[in-house]
């Protein structure tokens, strides 16, 4: 079974994440955090372990509160997204669902992710399992559960943190270079493979179903 992160992998939420970053920064008066000029600047803060990456400017506890608020704001803004699943991934996900199945493990809220997936996927093409920030446990815990109980073999993410979680859970770590982190940050986390485009990920998935 393949397992995917959602934002930055199956769904392009970078513009929404940037807007909500700016809103949370202003609301919490965290002016020590970088004032990102646009979505292309997200790699400045998406480095390694997410909250720890912000300790260059603020303390860890404040960083945890910041990302919690950021998740709340991005969930609230999800209805305004023009798209759900990245177009190239709709067909491959349906093929995976009809074969070995697939799962999604995400740091976003369950209802937000389910709603965005359902915009483009029929019921039979939805993930076999969807584990979100609303379920207890770390991302590593959830991936390890999928490996031991459901035979998950690989996790596809878009940040160095995703790579670290995958390896900690005993999974192959596949990184995509079109998401939130820079290619340099991905390389530093040492994934087993880096895929450059959604088309590359689609081809990788299709190879797993043949």
């Amino acid at each position: 079974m393949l397992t995917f992160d959602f934002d930055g992998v199956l769904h392009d939420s970078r513009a929404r994440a940037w807007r909500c970053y700016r809103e949370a920064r202003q609301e919490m008066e965290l002016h020590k955090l970088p004032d990102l000029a646009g979505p292309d600047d997200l790699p400045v803060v998406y480095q390694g372990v997410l909250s720890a990456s912000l300790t260059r400017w603020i303390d860890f506890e404040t960083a945890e509160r910041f990302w919690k608020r950021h998740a709340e704001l991005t969930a609230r803004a999800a209805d305004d997204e023009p798209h759900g699943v990245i177009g190239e991934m709709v067909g491959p996900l349906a093929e995976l669902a009809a074969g070995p199945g697939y799962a999604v493990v995400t740091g976003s809220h369950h209802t937000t992710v389910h709603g965005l997936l359902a915009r483009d996927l029929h019921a039979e093409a939805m993930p076999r399992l969807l584990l979100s920030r609303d379920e207890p446990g770390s991302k590593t815990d959830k991936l390890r559960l999928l490996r031991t109980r459901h035979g998950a073999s690989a996790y596809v993410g878009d940040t160095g943190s995703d790579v670290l979680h995958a390896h900690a859970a005993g999974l192959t770590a596949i990184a995509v270079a079109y998401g939130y982190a820079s290619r340099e940050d991905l390389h530093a986390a040492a994934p087993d493979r880096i895929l450059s485009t959604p088309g590359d990920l689609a081809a990788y998935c299709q190879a797993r179903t043949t």
Side-chain angles (χ1 to χ4, degrees), residues 1-2 34 40 65 69 79 86 107 132 138 145 149-150 155 175 181 183 186-188 191 193 202-203 206:
M1 174 191 282
L2 275 178
D40 288 343
R65 290 191 290 107
R69 181 56 178 157
D79 287 343
I86 292 173
S132 71
S138 68
L145 174 71
R149 293 191 182 179
H150 302 280
Y155 183 55
R183 189 176 284 268
L186 296 177
H187 275 295
R193 186 170 180 177
Q206 289 170 332

Side-chain angles (χ1 to χ4, degrees), residues 32-33 51 76 106 109 112 114 119-120 134 158 160 165 177 183 202 209:
K32 292 181 179 179
L33 291 178
S51 292
R76 184 185 303 170
T106 174
H109 288 289
T112 302
H114 186 276
R119 287 189 188 183
D120 299 300
D134 302 311
D158 68 316
H165 283 300
R183 189 176 284 268
T209 59

Side-chain angles (χ1 to χ4, degrees), residues 10-140:
L10 300 180
H11 167 66
D12 184 3
S13 57
R14 292 177 303 154
R16 175 165 51 106
W18 168 67
R19 291 194 301 269
C20 294
Y21 171 91
R22 290 173 59 86
E23 183 176 349
R25 177 180 177 271
Q26 182 66 30
E27 177 186 298
M28 297 176 68
E29 299 184 345
L30 295 175
H31 303 300
K32 292 181 179 179
L33 291 178
D35 185 11
L36 305 182
D40 288 343
D41 285 345
L42 287 173
V44 173
V45 293
Y46 280 87
Q47 295 183 12
V49 179
L50 196 54
S51 292
S53 75
L54 296 187
T55 57
R56 290 170 287 170
W57 303 285
I58 58 178
D59 63 82
F60 186 85
E61 290 75 17
T62 303
E64 290 276 87
R65 290 191 290 107
F66 175 85
W67 287 123
K68 180 178 180 181
R69 181 56 178 157
H70 183 266
E72 292 170 352
L73 293 172
T74 54
R76 184 185 303 170
D79 287 343
D80 296 327
E81 284 283 3
H83 304 291
V85 177
I86 292 173
E88 293 95 326
M89 290 305 302
V90 173
L93 291 178
E95 292 177 10
L96 284 170
Y102 70 97
V104 171
V105 177
T106 174
S108 296
H109 288 289
H110 191 283
T111 54
T112 302
V113 175
H114 186 276
L116 288 167
L117 286 166
R119 287 189 188 183
D120 299 300
L121 300 177
H122 297 298
E124 60 272 16
M126 293 288 280
R128 186 174 298 172
L129 290 162
L130 168 56
L131 301 178
S132 71
R133 68 182 298 117
D134 302 311
E135 286 79 45
S138 68
K139 186 172 282 189
T140 297

Side-chain angles (χ1 to χ4, degrees), residues 171-196:
L171 298 180
T172 298
I174 307 298
V176 299
Y178 56 83
Y180 282 42
S182 68
R183 189 176 284 268
E184 291 74 19
D185 187 58
L186 296 177
H187 275 295
D192 298 284
R193 186 170 180 177
I194 296 179
L195 302 173
S196 296

